[in-house]
Amino acid sequence: MDVAIIGHSLLGGPDPAPAAPRADAVHNRRKILDAAARIVADEGPEALTMNAVARASGVGVGTVYRRFGDVAQLFAALLDERERQFQTAFMAGPPPLGPGAPPGERLRAFLHAMVDRVVEQRELLLAGESASPVGHYDHDAHLARHTHVTMLVRLLRPSADAALTAHLLLAPTAAGLITHLTLGRGRSPQQLKDGLDTLLDGVLSG
């Protein structure tokens, strides 16, 4: 089940099979995405403009436009790339996050990794949630995470409503809530993980 999801685009259906890009195109894409990530992390998503990315990456603004079209597409590509990296880690990476550990350990590692990811990529994920407060639950990125958690819950509690339980376990990892708790209430990432462990203990011991 895990592996079947990897071959799908997070932003819409199965991946096409494009021709291999030129080395300079790959290099420019990497520079543009790295620059975009730095801008979002340092200045916030509102500072992400095509001109700003061109200056920060050292790539001509015309190339930035040709490669990504507009800021919305650049932002989507940045989200997509980060999500692909995360998917690879929990679907095919080393245990306990990846295959090879018992389902309870994998689920705990996954929820902890979600906390770390939100803390590290807060501005990017907040912007994604704000752009589509309800609709992002239907995006492929969220559906992949939900499918993964549902699978683990089903292994742990065959009689439970695994899909609903997965939604409820994922809810505390929303970027808005984690931001509120860490920046607004002074809670540490470890405290959030401890709280998630308390919730998870109910699933594991039920």
Side-chain angles (χ1 to χ4, degrees):
M1 174 180 271
D2 283 349
V3 177
I5 303 173
I6 295 178
H8 287 71
S9 168
L10 302 176
L11 302 175
D15 288 336
R22 300 190 319 271
D24 59 336
V26 172
H27 181 63
N28 283 339
R29 176 183 172 84
R30 177 77 273 139
K31 289 173 66 176
I32 291 168
L33 289 174
D34 286 347
R38 289 196 302 273
I39 290 170
V40 172
D42 295 342
E43 305 175 50
E46 65 281 354
L48 189 65
T49 68
M50 304 301 261
N51 286 332
V53 170
R55 287 193 300 270
S57 66
V59 174
V61 68
T63 298
V64 177
Y65 273 102
R66 283 194 300 274
R67 190 66 186 81
F68 293 98
D70 56 27
V71 170
Q73 293 181 55
L74 175 58
F75 186 74
L78 192 55
L79 279 170
D80 190 41
E81 181 185 49
R82 295 303 177 88
E83 185 63 31
R84 284 183 185 277
Q85 293 170 355
F86 184 53
Q87 277 199 27
T88 298
F90 70 75
M91 291 179 181
L97 183 58
E105 291 182 22
R106 287 192 73 187
L107 184 52
R108 192 181 307 276
F110 177 85
L111 295 175
H112 287 197
M114 283 292 296
V115 172
D116 289 334
R117 181 168 183 257
V118 173
V119 170
E120 292 168 6
Q121 302 171 22
R122 180 180 64 249
E123 294 292 347
L124 193 61
L125 295 172
L126 271 177
E129 283 187 7
S130 299
S132 184
V134 175
H136 81 275
Y137 290 107
D138 291 323
H139 290 175
D140 287 348
H142 180 80
L143 293 175
R145 295 191 293 267
H146 179 262
T147 299
H148 180 68
V149 174
T150 298
M151 177 195 70
L152 295 175
V153 171
R154 190 170 287 124
L155 290 171
L156 290 165
R157 297 284 302 278
S159 63
D161 185 337
L164 176 60
T165 302
H167 279 301
L168 297 177
L169 286 172
L170 284 169
T173 67
L177 178 59
I178 288 182
T179 300
H180 168 72
L181 292 173
T182 54
L183 297 187
R185 292 292 181 265
R187 297 286 187 166
S188 69
Q190 186 58 53
Q191 286 178 309
L192 301 188
K193 293 175 185 179
D194 291 343
L196 284 168
D197 285 348
T198 300
L199 293 177
L200 186 56
D201 285 343
V203 175
L204 298 177
S205 62

